[in-house]
Amino acid sequence: MRRRLLALICVTGSLVTGCGMLPGDHERKTVTVWLMKDSASQEFVQRFTEDFERTHEDLRLDIRVQQWTGIVEKVRAALAADSGDGPDVIEVGNTQVPLYADGGRLVDLSLESMRDWDEDKWLPGLAQPGKDGNQQYGVPWYAASRVVIYRKDLFQQAGISRPPKTRDEWLADTEKLNSGGNQGIYLAGQDWYTLSGFIWDEGGELAEEEDHEWRGTLDSPAALRGMDFYRRLQALGEGPADADEEHPPQAGVFAGGKVAQIIAVPGLARSILQKDPGLQDKLGYFPVPGRTAGRPGAVFTGGSDLVIPENTDDQFAAATVVGALAGAKWDTELARTMNYVPNKTTLAGAVAGEEGVAAMAAGAAHGRATPSTPQWADVEADNPIKEYMTRVLGGADPAAEARRASRKITEALAPDVG
């Protein structure tokens, strides 16, 4: 609270010289920012830094690129360290925010989010994981979500003139495509992120919180309908029932055979074209279809949020950097540079010229994230959803397997509850 009062005093008393500076004192405050590898190009970082320091004469940036491997423990150590030596702003995966917010290690940015940063326009799949009750800890930066990557030539050969708009159309088209030695779709049996979208579309959840306790809900009627749709779609190809989309990598499967469709982020097309450059003009993209034509299907939204450690020396300066990075100007520039979805639904037009990114933006507008609890990482560590999917695709009773998987999710989310 003391830091927030100081920050408010700084805003009121000196918009030009910055917090902690006396009149005539031109020494710049350094703000240390951790960004993740490959989230932003070196050229983008350089342009942002030059513009920010030119327009904020009291601040300078020290942007340090971090590796994803081992980042959770590194961030946790930084959040627990003494004030003054660690980062002031950190980029984190959107679903990681609850891990770091647990224990009061992050600054509550609710006031800035409501007053300055248009939180009502944020993508829900980025904003929701960054929120705990009424407190906003993670500020959405960019998003990426799955779309359908398809072979235009195989669609044409099957007499399909346009991508499907509804799930029923999608099933019918995929059945047509699944003939003559072609796979209608390559969908691995354990692609639980894709399954999550179908469950959300039906009104179901992976897990729900009631009276501060979480329980798995794969056995709800809505979630079972989502699994049934996944089963019918997955059967229209040769995806393995006992593996996920990385085993084997689906880019290689798509490039190496006559596969009409896969579900993936648009950026996977680069890997496909490296393996088969002959597909350069044959790839297309469309949003995962929804139940009705007027709304794309729900999809898992990955991406990054920006957070401020509680132990920063200057919350006001850190919030200034977050506001600039996540603001319309530079968020749009990042999306265009890196083929991301911007953090606000109102900025989707900025990427409308890129077919893959435009499809991704349409889906991300209805995107979701995994349950917002620090214990969800324990669920993913030994993921019972994957085992559930494999068993159902192998012919086991869906309701019984869903109850089994739901119990395992409940145990992982509340291990002290019998």
Side-chain angles (χ1 to χ4, degrees):
M1 178 61 73
R2 180 175 177 271
R3 286 195 182 99
R4 181 166 290 279
L5 289 173
L6 287 174
L8 291 174
I9 291 170
C10 291
V11 174
T12 305
S14 181
L15 290 175
V16 177
T17 59
C19 185
M21 296 182 66
L22 298 174
D25 181 0
H26 298 293
E27 181 180 354
R28 286 187 161 189
K29 163 72 179 178
T30 297
V31 182
T32 301
V33 182
W34 283 7
L35 299 183
M36 299 309 301
K37 187 178 185 298
D38 298 327
S39 287
S41 67
Q42 184 177 354
E43 183 265 344
F44 172 87
V45 170
Q46 182 177 344
R47 285 193 296 118
F48 173 77
T49 300
E50 291 174 353
D51 182 79
F52 183 87
E53 292 184 350
R54 179 177 55 81
T55 55
H56 299 80
E57 295 182 354
D58 56 328
L59 301 175
R60 68 176 298 273
L61 297 179
D62 179 13
I63 296 181
R64 305 179 185 182
V65 176
Q66 309 295 316
Q67 302 291 326
W68 283 105
T69 302
I71 191 60
V72 171
E73 292 310 314
K74 188 170 185 178
V75 170
R76 280 176 164 166
L79 296 179
D82 293 335
S83 175
D85 297 327
D88 302 292
V89 176
I90 308 175
E91 174 198 349
V92 301
N94 61 322
T95 60
Q96 293 177 335
V97 177
L99 281 174
Y100 305 133
D102 195 35
R105 298 291 190 180
L106 299 180
V107 174
D108 177 13
L109 297 169
S110 303
L111 176 61
E112 293 86 348
S113 300
M114 291 185 293
R115 183 188 61 201
D116 304 322
W117 297 338
D118 298 326
E119 68 169 0
D120 59 317
K121 300 179 178 64
W122 285 342
L123 295 178
L126 293 181
Q128 289 169 358
K131 197 177 187 72
D132 183 9
N134 294 321
Q135 296 175 310
Q136 188 76 44
Y137 295 106
V139 175
W141 194 27
Y142 67 84
S145 58
R146 286 161 174 75
V147 302
V148 182
I149 303 176
Y150 74 102
R151 287 271 302 267
K152 294 179 179 179
D153 56 329
L154 297 184
F155 268 56
Q156 186 176 20
Q157 290 171 21
I160 302 170
S161 60
R162 63 172 180 81
K165 297 290 187 181
T166 69
R167 291 198 334 199
D168 287 342
E169 289 179 2
W170 193 19
L171 277 177
D173 287 350
T174 304
E175 190 168 3
K176 288 181 186 176
L177 292 160
N178 193 45
S179 62
N182 299 335
Q183 291 188 57
I185 189 168
Y186 179 85
L187 181 58
Q190 295 183 348
D191 187 351
W192 70 278
Y193 284 123
T194 294
L195 170 64
S196 299
F198 299 158
I199 290 174
W200 293 328
D201 250 2
E202 292 289 346
E205 300 288 347
L206 304 177
E208 291 184 320
E209 184 182 24
E210 185 176 350
D211 296 329
H212 305 292
E213 293 184 357
W214 285 88
R215 64 181 183 87
T217 53
L218 293 177
D219 54 341
S220 72
L224 286 168
R225 290 195 299 270
M227 182 64 220
D228 184 63
F229 180 80
Y230 189 99
R231 178 189 59 78
R232 288 187 287 157
L233 184 66
Q234 196 270 345
L236 299 175
E238 299 172 10
D242 59 351
D244 61 24
E245 63 273 24
E246 292 299 324
H247 300 90
Q250 62 178 345
V253 177
F254 189 86
K258 290 190 174 182
V259 177
Q261 306 170 86
I262 57 173
I263 302 171
V265 294
L268 195 71
R270 289 192 291 269
S271 297
I272 294 170
L273 295 175
Q274 285 175 355
K275 297 177 183 301
D276 186 358
L279 294 175
Q280 178 68 54
D281 297 322
K282 297 178 180 178
L283 299 183
Y285 311 84
F286 59 87
V288 172
R291 297 177 65 190
T292 63
R295 180 186 174 104
V299 289
F300 170 77
T301 301
S304 285
D305 283 13
L306 299 170
V307 300
I308 298 176
E310 179 68 29
N311 60 8
T312 180
D313 276 349
D314 195 333
Q315 291 184 12
F316 175 66
T320 301
V321 176
V322 170
L325 275 171
K329 175 183 176 179
W330 287 104
D331 204 74
T332 298
E333 283 295 308
L334 180 71
R336 288 171 173 161
T337 300
M338 304 300 295
N339 287 337
Y340 293 145
V341 178
N343 60 3
K344 297 184 180 72
T345 56
T346 51
L347 299 178
V351 294
E354 285 287 338
E355 182 184 1
V357 183
M360 190 164 57
H366 310 291
R368 298 279 301 277
T370 51
S372 184
T373 167
Q375 281 71 46
W376 187 256
D378 296 329
V379 174
E380 293 191 26
D382 187 22
N383 199 327
I385 305 175
K386 289 185 172 185
E387 180 184 7
Y388 159 62
M389 297 172 73
T390 295
R391 287 176 177 270
V392 172
L393 295 177
D397 178 60
E401 295 302 329
R403 287 193 294 271
R404 183 205 306 266
S406 294
R407 284 196 299 269
K408 290 184 177 181
I409 292 173
T410 300
E411 290 168 2
L413 294 179
D416 57 328
V417 176

